[in-house]
Amino acid sequence: MTTTEPATTTVVAPSVVPADDTRKRRLIRGVLVAASIWAVTHIGAQLAAALAVAIHTPQLLAQPWSFFTLLVHWDAANYRNVAQFGYFSEGAGPFAHAFLPGYPFVSRFLAEALFVTVSPTAVQIDVALWTVTAVAALVAACLLWFLVEPQYGRRVAFGSVALLLAGPYALFLVAPYPEALYLVPAIGAWLAMRNERWVIAGLLACFAGTIRIETVFLVPALIVLFAVQRHREGLPWFTRAIGFGAISAVGLTSYLLWLWHRTGNIRAWFDVEEAGWHRSTRWPWETFARSLEYATSPATVRAGHIQAWADIVFVVLYLIAIVMFIRLRWWAEAVYIGLSAVSMATSYAYTSMARESTTLFPLTILVALTLRTRRWRWVFWVVLVLSALIMFAQAGRFALDDWSD
C-alpha cells in the first residue's frame, strides 16, 4: 500500500527592517535634505552679496579673505569687536555689553583654534564668526527637520527647513550675526522638551540665554509645552518645570549679574539698550505711532522707510500667526510668538520686528503645514519664492552697508 506524503507549504516571512535601521535612514535623509537646502541658500546669499559688491565696489573683492568679510556690517562689527577686545575696552565701543557673550566668545575660541594664536586679528575673527554662523545654520536646519518630520511628515519638514533658510530675513543666518547659533540650542531645547528630556532642554536653554535675549520668551513656551504633555498623562510636572526654569535661567542671569558686579548698576544691560537703541517700555499705541512716523517721515532715509514698513507688516503677520496657533491649540508656539510680539510692540518702536522672524521657527512650521493639502499648497510656494527673492536682495543691500534696523 502506497502512502502519500501530505504537501507542505513553505511560508516566507516578510523581511522586516530593524527599527534602528529605519531610524538611521530617516536621520540620514533628513540631514541630506537639510544640508542641500542650506547649501543652495547659503551659496545664493553669498553670491548675491558678491555680485552687489562687484558692481559697486569691486576693489573690495580683491582683499584677502573677502569671501568671509562681505557681510561684516552693522552689528556684525560689534560682535567682532567684542570677540577681539572683550567688554569695557577701548576697542569694544561704548555699547559693547549690550551684545550677549555666547556668540562672540565661541567665535573667539574658534579663531584661536583655527589660526593657532592667542591674539587673533580682526580678519581672523571675521573668518571665525562666518564659520560659526554657517555651521550653526546647518545644524539648526537639521534639528528643525528632526523636530517636524516625525509628527508632520517629510513634506512639512522640507517646507519648514526651506522657509527657515530662505525666509525674507534669513540673511542673518549667513551674515555674522548670532541668530543661527541661538537657533541650535533653541530648537534643540524644544526637541528635547517634546521628548520630555527636561534636564537636557534646560541646559540647552541655559546656553541659548548667553546668545540672545529671546530666551526669556523661549523658556515660558517650553514650560507650557512640558505642562501640556504631562497634563494629558495626568502626571505631576510642577517640580520638573521649576527645575527646568532654574537651569535655563543660569546663562542669561549670570551675564546680567556680572554686568551688575562690573558696573555697579543692576540695570546695566537695560540702560545700554536704551542709550544705544532707545529701547524702553512704552504703551503699544505710542510704539505704533513712532513706527508709523519712521515709515512716513521725510527725514527718514529710504532704507529706513523700507525697514519701518517691513516691521509694521510683520506685526500684522505675527498677530495672524498667534490666532492660528490658538485655533490649532499650539499653546507653546502661541506663547513663544506672543511674548516676543508683545515685547517688541511695547518698545520704543517696531525696530527689528521683521528680523526677529528668523528666530521664531514655529512660524515656518505653520506656513509649511499648507503643504499637507492641495487646496492651500500654493500658499507655501508663493511665500517661499517671495521670501527667497527678498532674502537675496537683502544680502546685496547688506553687503553695501545699506541697512536700517
Side-chain angles (χ1 to χ4, degrees), residues 125-360:
I125 294 290
D126 288 341
V127 173
L129 289 167
W130 184 95
T131 304
V132 170
T133 294
V135 174
L138 174 58
V139 175
C142 293
L143 288 173
L144 185 60
W145 179 283
F146 301 150
L147 178 68
V148 177
E149 193 269 342
Q151 191 167 3
Y152 300 108
R154 281 181 285 176
R155 185 175 293 171
V156 178
F158 165 83
S160 301
V161 172
L163 286 174
L164 178 75
L165 297 176
Y169 286 83
L171 158 69
F172 296 99
L173 302 181
V174 181
Y177 270 61
E179 278 83 344
L181 186 60
Y182 166 78
L183 283 172
V184 172
I187 300 175
W190 203 285
L191 181 60
M193 189 61 88
R194 196 182 68 183
N195 294 328
E196 300 189 13
R197 305 290 181 86
W198 63 273
V199 175
I200 296 175
L203 293 173
L204 289 170
C206 173
F207 178 47
T210 68
I211 304 169
R212 296 277 299 186
I213 196 67
E214 286 80 1
T215 308
V216 299
F217 314 132
L218 176 70
V219 170
L222 290 173
I223 291 176
V224 170
L225 177 64
F226 186 58
V228 169
Q229 292 180 155
R230 304 299 287 183
H231 177 70
R232 288 172 179 170
E233 298 175 5
L235 297 175
W237 57 273
F238 301 101
T239 303
R240 296 179 183 181
I242 292 172
F244 162 76
I247 296 171
S248 61
V250 170
L252 179 59
T253 302
S254 297
Y255 178 64
L256 296 179
L257 289 175
W258 176 80
L259 283 182
W260 182 15
H261 171 74
R262 182 66 174 75
T263 65
N265 178 11
I266 194 172
R267 285 182 46 84
W269 185 84
F270 301 95
D271 288 347
V272 75
E273 282 284 317
E274 185 170 2
W277 295 269
H278 308 293
R279 296 183 191 273
S280 59
T281 304
R282 296 286 193 276
W283 291 108
W285 49 87
E286 294 177 349
T287 305
F288 172 73
R290 189 166 290 107
S291 302
L292 189 61
E293 179 185 351
Y294 287 166
T296 58
S297 173
T300 307
V301 296
R302 178 175 175 273
H305 280 150
I306 295 172
Q307 192 55 48
W309 279 115
D311 290 331
I312 292 173
V313 168
F314 269 82
V315 171
V316 177
L317 294 177
Y318 293 156
L319 293 176
I320 295 172
I322 292 168
V323 172
M324 293 299 297
F325 285 137
I326 293 173
R327 289 189 61 184
L328 292 169
R329 298 181 182 273
W330 291 12
W331 306 118
E333 290 82 353
V335 168
Y336 185 36
I337 309 302
L339 290 177
S340 301
V342 167
S343 174
M344 292 180 288
T346 55
S347 185
Y348 183 78
Y350 292 158
T351 306
S352 301
M353 184 72 83
R355 178 160 65 91
E356 193 74 8
S357 62
T358 307
T359 62
L360 303 179

Side-chain angles (χ1 to χ4, degrees), residues 41-63:
T41 54
H42 215 81
I43 293 172
Q46 286 285 154
L47 289 177
L51 180 61
V53 171
I55 293 173
H56 292 87
T57 53
Q59 64 273 15
L60 294 179
L61 295 177
Q63 296 180 2

